[in-house]
Amino acid sequence: MSEIKKVRFRRSAAIATSLAAVLVLAACTSGGSDTAASADNAEPVKVGVLTDMTGAFGIVGKSNEAVAKFTINEINANGGVLGRQLEMVLADSATDAAIATQVASRLVNQDKVAVVVGGVASFTRVAVRDVIADKGNTIYIWPASYEGGECSTNVWNTGSAPNQQVDPTVEYLLAEGKKTFFLAGSDYLYPRNILARVRQVVEAGGGSIVGEEYVPLDMTDPSNLVSKVLAAKADVLFEVVVLPGTAPFIKGVVDGGFKGKIAGTLFDEGINPLIGAQAEGLIGVQDFYLSVEDPFTKSQVAKFNEQHPEAAGLFSATFNATAWYRSFYLWKAAVEKANSFDTAEVNKAMDSVSLKDSIGGPVSFEPGTKHVNLQMYLGESKADGSNVILKSLGSIKPLECK
Amino acid sequence: MGAQIIRGIFDVLSLSSILILLVIGMAIIVGMMKVFNMCQGELVLLGAVTGYLCGIYLGNLWIGILLAPIVVGLFGLVLERTIIHRFYVNPQGALLATFAIGLVMRETLRNRMSRQGTPVDAPIQGSIDIGGASLPVWRIVIMVVTLLLALAIGYVLLKTNLGIKVRATLDNPDLVSVSGISTKWMYAGTYAFGSALSGFAGAMIVPLQTLYPNLGYDNLILMFIAVMIGGLGQFAGPLAGAALIAVPGAIIGQFISPVTGQILILFLAIIFMRFRPGGIFQRGR
């Protein structure tokens, strides 16, 4: 009996000690940020960078962090924004919506950042959007190619919208004489919206859909889906099966003797090496490939790889590297145009800012859409993971928020 | 049409054998030892990593497949002697501790990787054409190996002296220890053996997927369900449980959407467990 009491006492003592430690820590950190909040103009401006440093998207986070550092350092080296240096505050959303909400709230309420750039998956965007943009009244830039439809106040989208990737891909395939399409994807919002767009464009162009199938997100062995695709014998397989299913799915289809073309929205230097030699011939449209010849793009990517050896090879469109890069510059342009860091002023200015140079090509917000006009490229993958550009498509307008 | 049927049957056999192979190690540790081993998936992952590294540095995945059970077995032995053995009296604690171990292993690998995943080539590539369906050879190898492995382990556990000692230790450690057998090392050895089997499975299946940090974790839920359906306290139950969810899953998946199929299978599993809480080979009442 006394043994048990002793143990209980020890436990509660331990809990009390750790509780006290946490309280002391909390007091210290909140004290620190209070002084930062009452800063004068010479003080740096805090910029929130929110990405998944751990969990399933950890590698994407590694790329995002490096691109953010690279861009912020570059802006600071050229005099900062309105004469003030930027200070990056990194928050790990851990591929978990609940954690994302917590760290987003910390960025806005504790660090009092002027802007938050971030999110890898849409579930993170949805989780942090209200905390940052609505309740936090802070500019939130969502730097990812995604399923479309994000038109909330204070939120700005710098990745490609579905029509920018899907329309030119499908139009190219139809022009090549491909008529029958099989649609396959993972079962969540992004693939469903992308494939809905594919269906629309295929049917409008006189093609037909011969099958549409979704697999659970966590399915590691999509053998059943492979068999269905092979049985349908379509001219085109348009696939948005995301990792980890991508490689086994495409390998299965190719090795099973599929005769048609495989197209998708997620093929580039970031993803293709996972697929291996079976990546040969994959078709897609991105806002950037390593083979883009634009001199600004080439020199920037070389500089990035040199300055960030830890993330060399992680600069790719599917890791949203281009969108991250332009996010900071578009925000900088809007702040300078507004001559203020005030959310309402920056919001007004953001609607029509543009960049003459950005990685991948010039970019501008299409007024009234909250999305950007992007230079897009039709690419075909090679067995070694690289991509040849079949066609430079020029600037494509986002069809969003109308 | 014939090709489609052949492919359908092949899918059923292939998916079931893969799940059974994954579950064999867990059948020992969770099924027989009743340790709720949340890092079982990472033992699979460690085997896959061993296979991959041997493929890269020794140029031969075969060596990796042979080495994986040894490496992961030794890792399991160390793990049991340092951490796991402290939790035999505290199953909830084991759940948390092993989850933490798995998390550390997963994130350590993620930190070391420069990509989201890496393809690993099977030692035997290519397909065999049967009735117009081209069937990947490596999947056939896995079917054969899984069958032989399950039979061999079943034989050792049921028919050999060592198997009797192991089962006796897990059944009644006190009685075994007064009979002069070191239960401490029986436990450690059994855990190491279960780990080794998972490591072997990891090296075998990695060519079918990609090597990525969540390789084992993504299969963990399905593995646990197989063990639960199969029943605790025995070796064969979990394997039967794996077959019981994989076979109808693969068959249903051919006719309806895989998403609905997965929901249906889990639903059936719940109903099954309601009526046979002791598992497939439930004895008495």
Side-chain angles (χ1 to χ4, degrees):
Chain A
M1 191 63 195
S2 66
E3 257 320 295
I4 293 172
K5 263 188 195 160
K6 227 188 264 169
V7 170
R8 280 219 182 119
F9 171 73
R10 256 190 249 137
R11 270 197 196 157
S12 54
I15 291 169
T17 322
S18 38
L19 204 64
V22 170
L23 285 174
V24 168
L25 264 175
C28 289
T29 44
S30 68
S33 74
D34 276 349
T35 46
S38 60
D40 64 0
N41 267 8
E43 290 273 325
V45 177
K46 288 189 178 175
V47 173
V49 167
L50 183 139
T51 187
D52 300 324
M53 302 302 298
T54 50
F57 298 135
I59 306 289
V60 182
K62 207 188 223 179
S63 165
N64 295 161
E65 183 198 11
V67 175
K69 267 189 196 153
F70 174 77
T71 316
I72 289 171
N73 286 342
E74 195 175 72
I75 291 174
N76 283 341
N78 292 315
V81 178
L82 291 181
R84 291 171 70 180
Q85 294 283 293
L86 303 182
E87 183 189 327
M88 171 168 146
V89 185
L90 181 68
D92 177 12
S93 40
T95 323
D96 180 319
I99 294 176
T101 315
Q102 288 168 21
V103 295
S105 159
R106 204 194 65 212
L107 285 177
V108 171
N109 301 319
Q110 205 172 299
D111 298 314
K112 308 230 184 283
V113 295
V115 59
V116 178
V117 177
V120 175
S122 278
F123 66 77
T124 306
R125 180 188 85 248
V126 172
V128 304
R129 180 182 58 192
D130 296 341
V131 178
I132 301 168
D134 188 19
K135 287 191 211 109
N137 190 34
T138 303
I139 301 275
Y140 172 45
I141 301 179
W142 161 243
S145 82
Y146 79 120
E147 66 280 356
E150 177 57 73
C151 307
S152 318
T153 314
N154 296 343
V155 181
W156 297 88
N157 309 277
T158 56
S160 45
N163 74 288
Q164 290 170 312
Q165 284 187 283
V166 168
D167 297 16
T169 311
V170 173
E171 280 154 14
Y172 165 78
L173 291 164
L174 288 171
E176 289 281 292
K178 315 281 183 209
K179 291 294 169 207
T180 53
F181 286 66
F182 191 102
L183 314 182
S186 302
D187 191 36
Y188 73 106
L189 195 61
Y190 176 71
R192 282 191 178 266
N193 275 22
I194 290 288
L195 294 179
R197 182 81 200 167
V198 173
R199 177 180 280 273
Q200 206 180 326
V201 183
V202 167
E203 286 171 352
S208 65
I209 308 290
V210 296
E212 181 169 0
E213 281 283 349
Y214 294 90
V215 287
L217 249 181
D218 56 355
M219 185 169 268
T220 51
D221 192 339
S223 291
N224 278 330
L225 187 56
V226 169
S227 298
K228 284 181 189 175
V229 170
L230 294 175
K233 296 195 166 58
D235 295 337
V236 176
L237 163 65
F238 202 110
E239 78 90 38
V240 198
V241 173
V242 297
L243 299 177
T246 318
F249 178 55
I250 291 177
K251 276 185 183 171
V253 170
V254 172
D255 294 345
F258 181 67
K259 299 278 186 297
K261 271 274 170 202
I262 303 176
T265 52
L266 296 169
F267 303 136
D268 76 343
E269 300 85 2
I271 303 287
N272 290 355
L274 273 69
I275 300 168
Q278 286 86 345
E280 174 84 33
L282 301 175
I283 293 283
V285 167
Q286 301 290 352
D287 61 13
F288 166 79
Y289 289 108
L290 280 178
S291 45
V292 167
E293 285 296 337
D294 168 51
F296 178 80
T297 300
K298 278 204 149 347
S299 77
Q300 285 297 82
V301 173
K303 230 187 272 174
F304 173 83
N305 287 336
E306 189 192 305
Q307 288 178 19
H308 291 278
E310 83 282 4
L314 294 182
F315 196 100
S316 93
T318 48
F319 289 174
N320 301 321
T322 38
W324 275 81
Y325 181 81
R326 60 179 165 260
S327 292
F328 297 102
Y329 275 105
L330 286 165
W331 173 75
K332 173 180 186 276
V335 169
E336 283 168 351
K337 193 171 158 198
N339 198 21
S340 160
F341 288 97
D342 179 71
T343 300
E345 301 283 322
V346 176
N347 241 334
K348 234 181 279 166
M350 195 80 113
D351 194 43
S352 59
V353 288
S354 61
L355 305 174
K356 198 162 64 52
D357 283 318
S358 192
I359 299 180
V363 57
S364 59
F365 268 107
E366 173 66 19
T369 69
K370 297 188 143 269
H371 288 70
V372 282
N373 294 305
L374 284 173
Q375 300 290 320
M376 304 300 285
Y377 305 88
L378 177 72
E380 186 178 48
S381 308
K382 292 285 146 206
D384 63 0
S386 69
N387 296 269
V388 273
I389 294 173
L390 298 179
K391 200 175 165 195
S392 252
L393 301 162
S395 178
I396 297 181
K397 272 190 188 169
L399 303 178
E400 291 289 330
C401 305
K402 282 286 190 187
Chain B
M1 211 52 209
Q4 211 175 322
I5 293 167
I6 291 169
R7 195 184 301 283
I9 295 168
F10 184 79
D11 283 350
V12 171
L13 293 174
S14 171
L15 289 171
S16 323
S17 60
I18 289 166
L19 187 60
I20 291 172
L21 182 61
L22 281 170
V23 163
I24 289 180
M26 198 180 225
I28 305 268
I29 294 178
V30 181
M32 295 178 64
M33 296 179 75
K34 297 176 198 159
V35 175
F36 284 88
N37 198 33
M38 295 292 284
C39 65
Q40 194 83 39
E42 280 64 37
L43 297 174
V44 172
L45 176 67
L46 188 60
V49 171
T50 310
Y52 165 76
L53 291 177
C54 289
I56 292 290
Y57 292 107
L58 305 174
N60 193 336
L61 190 65
W62 286 118
I63 302 174
I65 289 169
L66 294 178
L67 225 54
I70 299 170
V71 170
V72 183
L74 288 175
F75 180 81
L77 190 68
V78 173
L79 203 60
E80 201 277 346
R81 283 322 305 154
T82 51
I83 301 172
I84 307 291
H85 78 97
R86 295 168 205 277
F87 290 99
Y88 289 136
V89 289
N90 178 4
Q92 297 95 321
L95 204 70
L96 285 179
T98 51
F99 182 78
I101 293 165
L103 190 68
V104 169
M105 290 173 72
R106 230 166 31 239
E107 295 303 323
T108 307
L109 175 66
R110 204 186 312 279
N111 214 287
R112 298 256 150 221
M113 284 182 80
S114 58
R115 295 200 175 280
Q116 278 162 302
T118 309
V120 177
D121 286 334
I124 308 176
Q125 305 239 16
S127 315
I128 305 179
D129 199 87
I130 299 175
S134 75
L135 311 174
V137 178
W138 191 244
R139 286 185 186 265
I140 298 172
V141 172
I142 288 184
M143 290 177 202
V144 176
V145 168
T146 303
L147 182 69
L148 295 179
L149 189 65
L151 290 176
I153 295 167
Y155 176 81
V156 170
L157 286 175
L158 295 175
K159 303 281 179 201
T160 65
N161 209 358
L162 178 68
I164 290 168
K165 281 185 194 166
V166 169
R167 286 186 295 138
T169 306
L170 300 177
D171 239 23
N172 194 336
D174 294 338
L175 199 61
V176 170
S177 75
V178 293
S179 317
I181 298 171
S182 164
T183 54
K184 179 174 125 181
W185 290 104
M186 285 310 280
Y187 270 104
T190 311
Y191 189 90
F193 184 55
S195 305
L197 289 169
S198 280
F200 175 72
M204 286 294 287
I205 64 147
V206 69
L208 299 181
Q209 312 201 347
T210 37
L211 175 62
Y212 68 108
N214 282 29
L215 174 70
Y217 190 68
D218 281 349
N219 288 302
L220 188 72
I221 299 294
L222 220 48
M223 287 156 65
F224 258 114
I225 293 171
V227 175
M228 291 290 118
I229 290 182
L232 295 180
Q234 53 198 337
F235 173 72
L239 305 196
L244 202 67
I245 53 177
V247 172
I251 295 173
I252 290 172
Q254 291 172 22
F255 300 105
I256 59 172
S257 118
V259 179
T260 323
Q262 197 180 50
I263 296 170
L264 202 63
I265 289 305
L266 295 186
F267 181 70
L268 291 176
I270 293 169
I271 300 211
F272 181 87
M273 283 196 276
R274 165 66 186 81
F275 289 104
R276 283 192 83 87
I280 296 169
F281 305 125
Q282 179 179 358
R283 267 162 282 179
R285 236 257 52 167

